[in-house]
Amino acid sequence: MHKKPIFVQVTEWFLAVTLAIMVVAVFSNVVLRYGFKTGLPFYEELARLLFVWLVCIGAILASAEGTHLGLDMVISRLQGQALIAARWVSRTVIAACLLMVIHGSWGQVVAGQESFSPVMNYPLSLAAASTLVMALAMLVLLINEIRRDPWGTRQPAKH
């Protein structure tokens, strides 16, 4: 059996812990609301923040494993120069989108440093940082893919 890379193990662990905390927070609030007509606003904010990070870290993991959303119906049927050109167009569009997300996320991180959540009082830049981390990590993964397969002629692994 092949061992998963440490990056994947740590990421999966983070996702599992984050999801467990979210389940406890949301379930506790449901029980408190229906059983005692009350709730903990702290748990609502915590669950919201963790959900944002869960989605972004999950997207990084999916991208690293090659299971992120992909529309390769056309590219998978190409060969030779057409395949190389299509992969480079695809990579260029992906990089451009990631750079736009990085730029926008950085602006939100900077703007959020002076704004705080109403209950937990964390800087809103903490939530905005999730998309910044996601886009940076995905850009690094894209660069590594280009370094491993510059011409884009290898077929992606099926999981």
Side-chain angles (χ1 to χ4, degrees):
M1 179 169 231
H2 119 25
K3 188 176 178 186
K4 293 180 182 178
I6 190 73
F7 161 78
V8 172
Q9 292 176 6
V10 169
T11 304
E12 287 176 347
W13 179 86
F14 174 82
L15 293 174
V17 169
T18 301
L19 188 59
I21 293 169
M22 285 175 55
V23 166
V24 168
V26 172
F27 182 74
S28 299
N29 256 355
V30 167
V31 170
L32 287 171
R33 280 228 173 82
Y34 287 102
F36 303 100
K37 305 285 188 244
T38 187
L40 298 172
F42 172 87
Y43 272 177
E44 286 182 35
E45 250 184 38
L46 178 64
R48 192 176 313 117
L49 177 64
L50 291 177
F51 182 70
V52 169
W53 276 95
L54 180 85
V55 168
C56 291
I57 300 300
I60 295 168
L61 181 61
S63 184
E65 292 180 340
T67 57
H68 201 273
L69 178 63
L71 302 174
D72 63 351
M73 292 183 321
V74 174
I75 292 178
S76 65
R77 291 178 170 81
L78 298 176
Q79 296 176 348
Q81 296 292 4
L83 174 63
I84 293 169
R87 289 249 196 246
W88 275 101
V89 167
S90 171
R91 289 170 170 175
T92 302
V93 170
I94 291 168
C97 290
L98 289 173
L99 289 170
M100 285 189 283
V101 171
I102 290 167
H103 178 74
S105 296
W106 178 250
Q108 290 300 307
V109 167
V110 171
Q113 289 176 344
E114 301 299 321
S115 301
F116 299 90
S117 71
V119 177
M120 291 176 55
N121 204 35
Y122 65 82
L124 294 180
S125 60
L126 182 60
S130 63
T131 55
L132 179 62
V133 168
M134 177 193 69
L136 286 169
M138 291 174 122
L139 188 59
V140 168
L141 290 169
L142 179 64
I143 291 167
N144 282 339
E145 174 193 318
I146 292 168
R147 289 178 54 207
R148 277 192 321 272
D149 185 15
W151 301 109
T153 54
R154 290 188 203 148
Q155 291 297 323
K158 299 292 181 197
H159 297 280

